[in-house]
Amino acid sequence: MGKAARMATIITAQQTIKEQSNLYYLRSILLMLDVENVFLENFEFIAEQVGCDATEQVTFIDMATVKWTEYIPKNINTLAKKRPIVLMNVRDGAVSERSALLAGIKGIIYETDKPDVQLKSIRAILDGELWFRRSIISSTFSELLSEHIQTKSTVPQAEIDESTYNLTKREKTIIKLIAEGAQNKEIANKLHISDHTVKTHLYSAFKKTKSRNRIELLNWARQFFPDALTRYHTN
């Protein structure tokens, strides 16, 4: 966990990679970041490998020639649990960011994103961060939290002992900021700590909650710790 991916698979139906196209820039950025990459035309080939240990191999799915509703839902939930998935060349409004986020997809790169934005997004994803609009992450978590509170009010549940998980005050603060859509650098600036320290706290929270990524951590927090997270949202 936290180790940058060194391999990437790019799934696309495009037969040729035109110079200065988004696929061209993607390949160039990956090579610049020392990430080997291969192009494949068949999504089903990747889906068949869901049993393989490929948690560090990022898969980029080119959405330029496919429809979200027809192409993705069939295998994406299972595949996203096994390896990082990124949707690229996405037309604005063509994909439900909320559905993608909940499915475990790591990020969405839009067809209108400039090369510098693509570079920033790919670096963040390789570093284990999510790449969605901040408002989507915040609103999605808020909705899930609201649903949990409503369920909690109607269904009797056992009291959760905070000491069971031993999350520190700082770890809870970081989880809360992630739920608001903050990236590592923003968290570091807000808490006046280094990026490395943010990662250290985050990986500690992963270990304590047995979460493999940020989505699982936020889902865990929604289930078990919503009150504590709200209470500890301080510096």
Side-chain angles (χ1 to χ4, degrees):
M1 202 179 302
K3 182 181 178 181
R6 310 317 304 173
M7 288 290 298
T9 301
I10 302 168
I11 308 296
T12 180
Q14 299 186 47
Q15 299 295 318
T16 58
I17 308 303
K18 297 180 180 179
E19 191 169 341
Q20 295 188 345
S21 68
N22 284 339
L23 287 175
Y24 173 85
Y25 287 125
L26 171 62
R27 181 172 59 184
S28 300
I29 289 170
L30 290 172
L31 290 174
M32 182 180 70
L33 297 176
D34 295 323
V35 179
E36 298 180 14
N37 56 88
V38 295
F39 281 79
L40 293 176
E41 296 181 16
N42 191 352
F43 175 78
E44 303 301 329
F45 175 78
I46 291 295
E48 290 170 0
Q49 301 181 42
V50 294
C52 301
D53 183 11
T55 54
E56 293 177 359
Q57 181 168 323
V58 179
T59 297
F60 293 87
I61 300 178
D62 179 15
M63 299 295 292
T65 57
V66 297
K67 293 181 179 179
W68 164 260
T69 54
E70 295 177 359
Y71 188 71
I72 294 302
K74 182 178 179 182
N75 293 306
I76 197 67
N77 287 347
T78 302
L79 185 58
K81 293 177 182 178
K82 297 294 182 179
R83 65 175 70 195
I85 300 292
V86 181
L87 305 182
M88 65 163 298
N89 262 342
V90 176
R91 296 184 180 89
D92 193 31
V95 168
S96 166
E97 287 200 29
R98 183 181 186 277
S99 297
L101 180 61
L102 292 174
I105 291 171
K106 295 298 182 279
I108 293 179
I109 301 175
Y110 286 90
E111 63 177 0
T112 54
D113 286 346
K114 301 299 184 184
D116 61 325
V117 175
Q118 293 185 41
L119 172 60
K120 184 178 179 181
S121 65
I122 293 168
R123 273 182 168 160
I125 291 165
L126 293 178
D127 203 29
E129 297 190 38
L130 297 172
W131 190 261
F132 290 90
R133 292 187 176 100
R134 180 167 182 164
S135 59
I136 291 295
I137 297 177
S138 180
S139 63
T140 299
F141 183 74
S142 294
E143 289 172 18
L144 292 174
L145 182 57
S146 177
E147 291 172 6
H148 171 74
I149 291 173
Q150 291 175 13
T151 302
K152 186 177 179 181
S153 65
T154 58
V155 180
Q157 296 184 9
E159 189 72 22
I160 300 298
D161 183 359
E162 294 186 19
S163 64
T164 302
Y165 299 98
N166 293 317
L167 286 174
T168 65
K169 182 178 178 181
R170 181 52 57 86
E171 287 165 355
K172 294 172 186 175
T173 301
I174 289 174
I175 294 172
K176 175 63 177 177
L177 291 171
I178 290 173
E180 294 175 356
Q183 300 288 352
N184 286 1
K185 186 173 291 294
E186 295 173 288
I187 295 172
N189 291 337
K190 184 176 181 63
L191 301 182
H192 307 292
I193 57 179
S194 68
D195 287 3
H196 177 74
T197 301
V198 172
K199 293 176 185 177
T200 299
H201 287 304
L202 187 55
Y203 295 148
S204 175
F206 283 160
K207 184 176 180 180
K208 291 177 181 179
T209 62
K210 297 182 180 179
S211 301
R212 294 172 297 178
N213 52 54
R214 291 172 184 237
I215 291 298
E216 289 189 4
L217 181 62
L218 294 184
N219 277 330
W220 176 90
R222 171 180 65 89
Q223 247 183 318
F224 298 111
F225 241 23
D227 297 336
L229 289 178
T230 302
R231 183 162 62 252
Y232 282 99
H233 183 32
T234 62
N235 286 353

